[in-house]
Amino acid sequence: MTTAEAPATPDVRRTAAAARTRHALGRILVTLARSAAIFVPVFLIATFVTFALRSLSGLSPARIQLGEEATPEAIARIEAEWGLNRSFLVQYGDWFDGVLHGRLGTSWTNGADISTLIGLGLGVSLSVAVFALLVGVTAGFALGTLAALRRTTWVDRAVTGLVTVISVMPAFVVGIVLVAVFAVGLHLFPSAGYVPAEQGLGPWLAHITLPAVALSFDVVADVARQLRSSLVAAYRENYVTGAVVRGLSGRRIFFGHVLRNGLGPALATLGLKFPSLVGASVVTEWIFGLQGFGRFANDSAQAGDVPAVQGVLVASIVLVVLFNLVVNLVLARVTPASQRGV
């Protein structure tokens, strides 16, 4: 009987592995389908509202180019050159078609291509934001895990106090302190400016380290708090008690049961944090002399450059959707609740 069953064992394993692979692909496809079902209507509504802002604002390229003393004839001539004398729906259709093809229009202030300007700013902001996210996730994961493993001890209280202090420190204050200490005082990092990665990995990292650390404090605090709370809650679940009764080691219980079930809230937090790191760092970019996405958005809004502001909003929508899609895919792969369809 044993001899007859032995050759079938590899086939059974291959069949089980193939079934697991199909199940994993199925979860990914379901996640993609759900995200697409949400993204398409949200994108359509958001782009329509975004484009409607120009009509509601009453701004015109003629006002920017000619000033407030422009004559009605001059205003009509310039608006005709920009195609603003056509109906609203026709203008929206042309603009939306351009958005689908990666064309976000032309700046009212300098006539430059908005897609190019946003691309330049995003290159700077994404470099800083991704590095800040890596620093924040690493430090937050370490602190949250340490507090959960040493819960109710002085270590837990110390980590909680540290995270509380970090969470109330504004990024611009942290940035000023970092510049004063590490750039001006110790001369370890440049105080301002940006060097693309193409010009050297070392200079690129040197220029983005201080702004990334300044922006990472909020990520550290949120990840540590969320992870600590979810890990402590996971330790109280019945499956952990059952694992202890079965004699599993503490390491296996933590990595096989507690951590996988406790990662969800911390990962969901990152879905909200990353877009804010890219677009809400205007003051930090001013401190470090960075011409990033947030600074471009601020300058465009102050100048009344409506096409540029519309392009910024479209890029922000895409960033939010794409990053949340990545987070959902990771959740579907990592957390057991997502794998069961919960």
Side-chain angles (χ1 to χ4, degrees), residues 117-139:
L117 296 176
I118 289 178
L120 294 174
L122 272 179
V124 177
S125 294
L126 285 176
S127 298
V128 176
V130 171
F131 197 16
L133 196 67
L134 291 176
V135 173
V137 169
T138 303

Side-chain angles (χ1 to χ4, degrees), residues 274-342:
F274 183 73
S276 65
L277 290 177
V278 175
S281 57
V282 181
V283 178
T284 305
E285 290 178 359
W286 273 104
I287 293 173
F288 291 97
L290 301 175
Q291 293 291 337
F293 183 72
R295 190 168 174 180
F296 172 73
N298 179 73
D299 294 344
S300 300
Q302 289 187 347
D305 194 348
V306 175
V309 174
Q310 291 172 340
V312 166
L313 292 176
V314 170
S316 301
I317 294 168
V318 174
L319 279 175
V320 171
V321 172
L322 288 180
F323 192 77
N324 277 277
L325 174 61
V326 172
V327 170
N328 289 335
L329 290 175
V330 174
L331 282 172
R333 180 66 184 89
V334 173
T335 57
S338 297
Q339 296 178 15
R340 295 192 300 267
V342 178

Side-chain angles (χ1 to χ4, degrees), residues 69-333:
E69 303 300 327
T71 63
E73 294 79 10
I75 292 176
R77 176 176 54 80
I78 292 181
E79 289 186 346
E81 293 175 358
W82 285 88
L84 302 180
N85 57 340
R86 298 172 299 169
S87 66
F88 172 80
L89 292 179
V90 172
Q91 294 181 52
Y92 172 72
D94 291 343
W95 177 79
F96 188 74
D97 179 70
V99 169
L100 295 179
H101 290 84
R103 301 188 305 269
L104 298 177
T106 305
S107 171
W108 282 356
T109 58
N110 54 25
D113 180 65
I114 294 172
S115 300
T116 302
L117 296 176
I118 289 178
L120 294 174
L122 272 179
V124 177
S125 294
L126 285 176
S127 298
V128 176
V130 171
F131 197 16
L133 196 67
L134 291 176
V135 173
V137 169
T138 303
F141 185 90
L143 291 174
T145 303
L146 178 63
L149 293 176
R150 298 291 184 267
R151 54 194 180 277
T152 69
T153 66
W154 69 268
V155 176
D156 184 16
R157 290 190 291 272
V159 170
T160 301
L162 175 63
V163 168
T164 301
V165 172
I166 289 176
S167 65
V168 299
M169 297 178 66
F172 70 91
V173 174
V174 177
I176 294 173
V177 173
L178 292 176
V179 169
V181 175
F182 294 98
V184 178
L186 300 177
H187 303 286
L188 296 177
F189 297 94
S191 60
Y194 176 78
V195 174
E198 294 80 10
Q199 298 182 17
L201 186 59
W204 174 68
L205 286 174
H207 282 81
I208 68 173
T209 296
L210 292 185
V213 171
L215 288 175
S216 68
F217 273 40
D218 195 36
V219 180
V220 171
D222 284 348
V223 171
R225 279 195 296 242
Q226 291 287 352
L227 189 61
R228 189 261 179 201
S229 299
S230 56
L231 291 180
V232 170
Y235 267 115
R236 297 170 180 165
E237 296 292 337
N238 292 331
Y239 54 76
V240 174
T241 303
V244 173
V245 172
R246 293 198 305 272
L248 298 182
S249 65
R251 180 186 299 272
R252 186 174 177 183
I253 291 173
F254 176 75
F255 286 103
H257 298 280
V258 176
L259 183 61
R260 294 187 66 189
N261 286 277
L263 276 178
L267 289 175
T269 300
L270 297 181
L272 300 175
K273 283 297 173 186
F274 183 73
S276 65
L277 290 177
V278 175
S281 57
V282 181
V283 178
T284 305
E285 290 178 359
W286 273 104
I287 293 173
F288 291 97
L290 301 175
Q291 293 291 337
F293 183 72
R295 190 168 174 180
F296 172 73
N298 179 73
D299 294 344
S300 300
Q302 289 187 347
D305 194 348
V306 175
V309 174
Q310 291 172 340
V312 166
L313 292 176
V314 170
S316 301
I317 294 168
V318 174
L319 279 175
V320 171
V321 172
L322 288 180
F323 192 77
N324 277 277
L325 174 61
V326 172
V327 170
N328 289 335
L329 290 175
V330 174
L331 282 172
R333 180 66 184 89

